[in-house]
Amino acid sequence: MADPHVTRLRHGALITLTLVLMTLLLLLPLGVIFTETFSRGLGAVLGALTDPDAIDAIRLTLTVAAVSVPLNAICGTAAAWCIGRFDFPGRTLLTTLIELPFSVSPVISGLVWVLLFGANGWFGSWLDQHEVRIIFALPGLILATVFVTFPFVARSLLPLMREQGAAEEEAALTLGATGWQTFFRVTLPNIRWALLYGVLLCNARAMGEFGAVAVVSGHIRGQTLTMPLFVEALFNDYDWVGAFSVAALLSLLALVTLGLRVLLERQMGGSRRDIF
Amino acid sequence: MSLELRDLRKHFGRTAALDGLSLSVPQGEFLALLGPSGSGKTTLLRVVAGLEFAESGAIEINGRSMHDVPARKRGIGLVFQHYALFRHMSVARNVAFGLEVRRRSERPASTAIRTKVAELLDLMGIGELAERYPEQISGGQRQRVALARALAIEPSLLLLDEPFGALDAKVRKNLRIWLRDLHNRMGLTSVFVTHDQNEALEMADRVAVLRAGRIEQVDTPDRLYAEPVNAFVHEFLGESVRLDCIVTAGTARFQGLCGTNLATNCPPGPAIALVRPHEIGLLPGPGPVRVESVHATGPMPRVRVTFAGRTTEVLLPEAAPLPTIGQGYGIDLSRARIYTLNDVSNPLAAS
């Protein structure tokens, strides 16, 4: 047996090391963003954030999230329900496919849409003839975001739905409930916290996504720049105040997400922390 | 109300869960489906409830075909093995569910629902639990809530899947009597699944013994116990002692027990004899049976005997003179039943 004093010392040293590393790698950058932002005074920050291009970027980011998050909440729930409740050929394949956006580089996730709907893409000329713009426009941004954030909801629901089983839904059916009644009165209440958790993570990613969106954006200021892209554009223009102000706003979103996430995990009994 | 099942078939992969099963349950009956695990009991219940579909065959309730009737319109109360209570609803809301999901035109007023729920909970003896949640009550209480929820829709037929499976022995015993009494009082028609033969024999009007998706025998508990149609039923219900024998010209002879012959109508060849421990008689010796030990505690003395190279237990009638340990006795196997080998049960299945 090791000397308990030595063991305690060793534990202490390891914990200190972890804390120091965490501070350096995680808290320091976050702190830099906020100190850098407010070093020029609140007026400069407000000025940067109320710049018309900044407002457009914020509005665009909110629009993209407002469309893609509900879409993924619905599709993700449907996918998790199918996989969790039914045994069908290709079920394992579907489960793996859901994870695909996580394992593919975001650049590819953007590029596929360009290859499909871009000027030289499969449907490019047809879309051009009908004057439908997808790439370098809002639909492209939404498509790329939906693709990248698809796994969040499905993955946060699947383990729970498997664990809960179908018995309660079957009970509801034998008691005379219709399919929709069963879904809204039994299924949804049972998965609500996990669903909210998935939606939260999905939203954070939808607002913060850079890679996939950068490919389909076209970087038209005031039109196709979401907040993360706008930060980069400002940064490239040496507009430090603007870049840090928008970055601080995005970081704030991350902090809020983190806080809500902890609350939700507590609601779910802390058992689901290992999903992501 | 009456239930009629005709020639139901269902497969899971290549195994038959229901293999041409027919059964009729008259109004007011309490029928037990008894069988080893994997014999198709639960599948049968789920098919009747409409949660699973048979590949062929007919289900009729009160003479009406259930072929195109979805689960939610069958009006069948199903009590799940693990109760399947809605975990996010209070006990009262659970019980009210079946009434609350009805179409507006068929739904009772909310005060009427509340009264009905309170009545049902009182009937179940759990009136004080109305505002609790499923995870806050005991297994036996959950069982009663599940039953109240199923009964709230006034089902034409009550199905119970291993209703006492998840409960401890003492709660089980009380609930059995209570449930049987409830069935009688409410004039229900009930089918319940169990793998516990005592439960089936004690509670049911009739017992259907299932094996591999088929019904081996449906009869009253008395007749089932006294006149099992084959070796499987004999061994599945109660203790059995199995002895090998040879049938020649209508007579079964036992190896190592010369002189113990039984008349039988089994075809010639090897066969088995099954006899309950209390049906074996010890005759005053000398004879081939050696008494090893005697346990006289309880109403019927248990005697361990060896004969023809095997050891078995014999239950003597009450107040019978106790045999002497180490002494040889004769054996009376006249109450044994002779079965052909081809309906000998799978020893793994007879639990």
Side-chain angles (χ1 to χ4, degrees):
Chain A
M1 282 299 276
D3 183 340
H5 283 287
V6 176
T7 316
R8 206 175 303 155
L9 263 177
R10 225 179 264 162
H11 280 190
L14 275 173
I15 290 170
T16 317
L17 185 71
T18 315
L19 283 177
V20 168
L21 278 175
M22 289 263 291
T23 314
L24 279 176
L25 290 174
L26 298 172
L27 291 180
L28 197 65
L30 209 59
V32 166
I33 291 175
F34 283 108
T35 46
E36 195 62 32
T37 309
F38 291 104
S39 63
R40 319 279 152 90
L42 198 62
V45 176
L46 285 177
L49 288 180
T50 48
D51 174 83
D53 283 349
I55 288 180
D56 281 335
I58 294 169
R59 191 182 292 148
L60 184 64
T61 296
L62 292 178
T63 312
V64 169
V67 177
S68 47
V69 172
L71 208 65
N72 271 342
I74 293 167
C75 294
T77 308
W81 189 73
C82 279
I83 294 172
R85 289 288 178 270
F86 301 103
D87 237 337
F88 51 89
R91 205 181 73 144
T92 329
L93 185 71
L94 191 62
T95 318
T96 320
L97 273 182
I98 284 180
E99 313 247 328
L100 184 71
F102 275 175
S103 44
V104 158
S105 159
V107 177
I108 314 260
S109 313
L111 211 57
V112 286
W113 303 112
V114 176
L115 292 176
L116 281 177
F117 304 124
N120 300 314
W122 285 9
F123 306 106
S125 50
W126 187 87
L127 289 171
D128 210 33
Q129 280 162 23
H130 295 77
E131 295 189 357
V132 181
R133 289 196 63 82
I134 291 182
I135 299 305
F136 306 147
L138 183 66
L141 295 175
I142 289 172
L143 280 176
T145 309
V146 164
F147 183 80
V148 171
T149 58
F150 182 75
F152 287 102
V153 171
R155 272 190 63 172
S156 63
L157 292 182
L158 254 179
L160 183 69
M161 292 187 101
R162 280 214 191 111
E163 179 194 310
Q164 290 183 343
E168 287 182 44
E169 288 163 10
E170 289 178 344
L173 286 180
T174 62
L175 290 168
T178 63
W180 287 115
Q181 280 175 326
T182 303
F183 179 76
F184 284 109
R185 288 171 183 246
V186 177
T187 313
L188 203 56
N190 275 345
I191 59 168
R192 61 182 187 255
W193 295 119
L195 179 62
L196 216 57
Y197 185 82
V199 163
L200 181 78
L201 296 186
C202 180
N203 181 60
R205 183 69 188 268
M207 290 188 170
E209 174 58 24
F210 181 85
V213 169
V215 179
V216 294
S217 155
H219 301 271
I220 310 165
R221 212 171 265 230
Q223 279 185 34
T224 63
L225 281 190
T226 60
M227 282 164 76
L229 298 176
F230 189 54
V231 172
E232 195 211 13
L234 292 172
F235 190 77
N236 289 343
D237 294 346
Y238 305 104
D239 181 352
W240 302 110
V241 183
F244 275 111
S245 301
V246 181
L249 200 60
L250 270 175
S251 310
L252 207 62
L253 169 78
L255 289 178
V256 171
T257 305
L258 200 69
L260 287 176
R261 187 176 168 169
V262 171
L263 280 180
L264 274 178
E265 273 162 2
R266 210 165 285 163
Q267 271 297 342
M268 294 189 289
S271 58
R272 321 227 59 83
R273 256 167 233 181
D274 51 350
I275 301 172
F276 295 101
Chain B
M1 285 167 213
S2 66
L3 171 71
E4 184 80 38
L5 307 174
R6 270 194 305 273
D7 200 27
L8 291 176
R9 281 172 203 281
K10 175 160 185 73
H11 290 79
F12 288 116
R14 299 187 64 179
T15 39
L18 301 177
D19 188 15
L21 186 146
S22 300
L23 178 66
S24 66
V25 185
Q27 151 81 33
E29 188 170 73
F30 198 87
L31 180 117
L33 293 173
L34 176 68
S37 54
S39 57
K41 314 181 292 284
T42 297
T43 307
L44 180 60
L45 223 56
R46 292 174 61 85
V47 165
V48 173
L51 295 173
E52 210 94 60
F53 299 94
E55 287 138 19
S56 64
I59 303 168
E60 280 173 14
I61 293 178
N62 269 345
R64 184 176 163 221
S65 167
M66 289 290 117
H67 186 69
D68 294 317
V69 183
R72 67 185 190 90
K73 289 191 177 160
R74 289 195 183 185
I76 289 176
L78 176 57
V79 177
F80 289 76
Q81 189 175 1
H82 299 288
Y83 322 128
L85 296 179
F86 305 127
R87 67 193 86 194
H88 62 283
M89 293 183 199
S90 67
V91 164
R93 295 277 325 277
N94 261 281
V95 177
F97 185 89
L99 300 172
E100 282 177 349
V101 295
R102 287 192 185 164
R103 259 184 293 159
R104 198 176 297 261
S105 54
E106 295 163 16
R107 194 191 315 153
S110 62
T111 49
I113 293 182
R114 229 171 294 144
T115 317
K116 173 135 197 197
V117 168
E119 274 172 21
L120 272 167
L121 289 180
D122 282 339
L123 184 67
M124 304 289 144
I126 48 170
E128 73 285 0
L129 299 178
E131 294 315 313
R132 302 270 202 94
Y133 282 80
E135 60 178 20
Q136 299 168 325
I137 59 179
S138 73
Q141 291 168 335
R142 281 179 208 171
Q143 159 79 328
R144 288 167 188 241
V145 175
L147 204 57
R149 183 177 70 175
L151 292 175
I153 60 167
E154 291 174 8
S156 55
L157 180 68
L158 185 65
L159 305 176
L160 304 119
D161 189 2
E162 300 261 2
F164 312 111
L167 302 174
D168 59 64
K170 201 173 169 199
V171 181
R172 212 180 252 234
K173 192 96 183 161
N174 291 333
L175 266 177
R176 269 188 210 171
I177 300 165
W178 174 81
L179 180 63
R180 180 63 234 223
D181 185 46
L182 186 83
H183 167 93
N184 294 350
R185 262 190 295 158
M186 297 189 72
L188 300 166
T189 305
S190 314
V191 175
F192 87 105
V193 154
T194 180
H195 63 260
D196 180 339
Q197 28 126 343
N198 291 325
E199 207 166 277
L201 296 179
E202 262 178 48
M203 292 177 69
D205 295 321
R206 285 194 308 155
V207 178
V209 180
L210 266 74
R211 171 164 65 157
R214 293 176 148 277
I215 289 184
E216 300 281 310
Q217 187 173 2
V218 196
D219 240 320
T220 60
D222 288 350
R223 285 179 51 88
L224 209 58
Y225 190 77
E227 291 164 44
V229 294
N230 61 31
F232 175 80
V233 177
H234 195 292
E235 291 196 306
F236 201 72
L237 291 170
E239 278 180 84
S240 300
V241 176
R242 184 199 279 225
L243 300 165
D244 295 321
C245 59
I246 307 270
V247 175
T248 38
T251 307
R253 287 169 220 283
F254 296 89
Q255 285 160 350
L257 294 172
C258 40
T260 320
N261 298 336
L262 279 180
T264 175
N265 46 17
C266 275
I272 61 161
L274 291 172
V275 59
R276 312 259 180 231
H278 72 268
E279 293 172 338
I280 302 176
L282 288 185
L283 305 171
V289 177
R290 207 178 116 88
V291 172
E292 297 292 332
S293 63
V294 178
H295 299 279
T297 334
M300 295 170 92
R302 290 183 161 264
V303 182
R304 285 184 72 75
V305 297
T306 45
F307 58 91
R310 53 168 301 165
T311 304
T312 186
E313 206 168 50
V314 174
L315 278 174
L316 294 183
E318 212 168 335
L322 296 181
T324 317
I325 295 169
Q327 201 112 47
Y329 286 85
I331 191 165
D332 173 13
L333 290 173
S334 56
R335 292 164 79 187
R337 302 182 158 270
I338 315 294
Y339 297 102
T340 53
L341 275 181
N342 55 21
D343 63 19
V344 170
S345 69
N346 170 7
L348 285 175
S351 51

